[in-house]
Amino acid sequence: MAETSNARPSETRVQRLQRLRRAVESSGALHLKDAAELLKVSEMTVRRDLAGPEAALALLGGYVVNAASPTGIKYTFEQEIDQHTQDKRLACRAAAASINEGDTIFIDCGTTMQSLADCLPEDLPLSVICYSMNVASIVTRRPGTQVMLMGGLYHPSSQSFASDDGLSYLRRLGINKAFISAGGVHWTRGASCSNFHEVAVKQAVIETAMESTLVIDASKLGSLKSAFFSDIGAFSRIIVGGAASSEMRKHFRSLPVEYVTSAT
């Protein structure tokens, strides 16, 4: 594969590795393709850069990770689990109400999606596709539920797995309804998250599912995280739990946003 036209010929291997280390410190892991795009070089160049013993980074399962502690990823899950709990619950109850018997649904990773798994209608026969430990631990205890868990490299930052094989498997499935989480939802910059490894999964399921619903609490509105994954026009519904100011709502008034401020 030839170098891209945007490559930086003056940038040395040491400088590229420094940029990669900063990206890995920020996101915990970086897919090889994303690393090449970040540096504006070929994937082979990234592989060569990582081959030296002094690189301090390694390629594991298609991801660039910290060589000294490949699973010592910046841990955000425990920080988020107790944040905006009531608002997350409100959004998830509204999302779960749209699920029908026999649906094949996808549940994204994250603390909001853990709440959605808890809110699934009891004893309703479903097929559930997921890729995170916290969601899987809930849905596997449900009677009459077929669970499909995507595997791959484990990312503690969101208790989730990711791999190219998992993406191929996902694209072969028939998904009625996908429920997607986000760390930030901006009216012009779209939906974003903090973990780069989640981007490919979210994008694949949005392309595959018959309908996709973004499920967030109100604190995510107007926020922008480092890893963009979708324009907000890609969602058939955006369910927001909690109160949002009238000024914030103005930015989203042309979109299919539903604000849930109280339990029904």
Side-chain angles (χ1 to χ4, degrees):
M1 177 179 174
E3 300 290 349
T4 67
S5 59
N6 293 322
R8 299 182 181 183
S10 61
E11 191 170 49
T12 66
R13 173 177 177 271
V14 171
Q15 290 171 324
R16 291 195 296 270
L17 286 173
Q18 288 175 343
R19 293 179 66 202
L20 277 182
R21 278 198 295 271
R22 289 194 293 268
V24 169
E25 287 171 1
S26 174
S27 63
L30 195 63
H31 195 279
L32 176 61
K33 178 181 177 182
D34 295 325
E37 291 179 353
L38 172 69
L39 300 177
K40 304 302 181 187
V41 298
S42 68
E43 293 181 15
M44 184 57 67
T45 294
V46 178
R47 290 179 183 274
R48 285 197 297 264
D49 285 352
L50 297 174
E54 78 285 8
L57 299 171
L59 194 61
L60 179 63
Y63 286 84
V64 181
V65 298
N66 186 325
S69 179
T71 58
I73 297 169
K74 181 181 175 184
Y75 204 90
T76 60
F77 188 90
E78 292 299 335
Q79 298 170 7
E80 291 294 326
I81 190 67
D82 294 324
Q83 301 295 315
H84 310 288
T85 304
Q86 183 176 350
D87 290 348
K88 291 174 183 177
R89 193 78 175 179
L90 288 172
C92 289
R93 284 175 178 166
S98 69
I99 299 172
N100 300 313
E101 179 177 343
D103 276 345
T104 297
I105 66 172
F106 172 88
I107 300 180
D108 204 355
C109 65
T111 56
T112 299
M113 295 294 102
Q114 177 174 312
S115 185
L116 177 60
D118 275 330
C119 290
L120 293 177
E122 292 184 10
D123 302 324
L124 192 69
L126 295 172
S127 293
V128 178
I129 304 157
C130 59
Y131 67 116
S132 64
M133 293 284 286
N134 61 318
V135 171
S137 67
I138 296 171
V139 296
T140 51
R141 297 197 299 266
R142 287 174 47 85
T145 299
Q146 180 183 58
V147 179
M148 289 158 275
L149 177 63
M150 298 167 55
L153 177 66
Y154 179 63
H155 296 267
S157 56
S158 55
Q159 295 192 4
S160 61
F161 300 88
S163 70
D164 290 340
D165 288 342
L167 292 175
S168 298
Y169 174 67
L170 177 62
R171 290 189 175 98
R172 294 197 299 270
L173 300 174
I175 304 172
N176 298 95
K177 295 164 185 171
F179 298 95
I180 311 295
S181 61
V185 179
H186 193 274
W187 53 94
T188 60
R189 302 296 296 276
S192 56
C193 59
S194 299
N195 298 307
F196 284 92
H197 71 272
E198 298 174 21
V199 171
V201 180
K202 293 175 189 287
Q203 290 178 339
V205 76
I206 290 169
E207 293 170 3
T208 302
M210 292 182 66
E211 61 180 67
S212 297
T213 299
L214 190 61
V215 185
I216 59 171
D217 67 82
S219 72
K220 307 300 191 299
L221 292 176
S223 179
L224 180 66
K225 298 301 181 181
S226 55
F228 165 83
F229 65 86
S230 178
D231 294 324
I232 50 181
F235 300 100
S236 53
R237 297 175 72 195
I238 301 172
I239 302 177
V240 180
S245 68
S246 57
E247 185 66 26
M248 182 63 69
R249 290 190 184 212
K250 282 198 305 186
H251 296 296
F252 296 92
R253 60 187 172 192
S254 63
L255 296 161
V257 182
E258 304 168 27
Y259 299 94
V260 187
T261 57
S262 62
T264 56

